[in-house]
Amino acid sequence: MDTSELPNIKKWVVMYPVYINSKKTMAEGRRIGVAKACENPTCAEIGDCCSYLKLPFAIEIDKAYPRDFMQRGRVRVLLKKEDETLCNPSISSRKQLMLRVAEMVPRHHGRTKKQETASTSTTAPSNKSGKGGKKRR
């Protein structure tokens, strides 16, 4: 999204992918329950979900989560405009944003394509028996 029309993104809500990652623990930074979280979300998927929800967002690739600095990227989202009106009336808080995005990411078009290609490609079964090793005489 073009950030020149909405210049002051420092006041926007920050959302790291770790916040909705079901593979992480609460101590590692997850902020919602495991049942509602999704597996390994990316900044691009979160950004696509925000655009679907008609929320202005900005992806910052160079930023890292402080507790896990190897995972790069975060998304800034505008929930309230300058006149304090909500951009999307159905999402009024960070928590609601995280829950809505976490339920949308598994249905993301990039993920469904990956799963279809993985399920259609079959591997040939090997004829080797499970027991191997050196034969003794």
Side-chain angles (χ1 to χ4, degrees), residues 16-29:
Y16 288 97
V18 176
Y19 291 174
I20 59 172
N21 190 349
S22 62
K23 296 283 186 187
K24 299 288 182 183
T25 63
M26 288 285 200
E28 290 171 328

Side-chain angles (χ1 to χ4, degrees), residues 4 7 19 70 102:
S4 62
Y19 291 174
M70 293 303 290

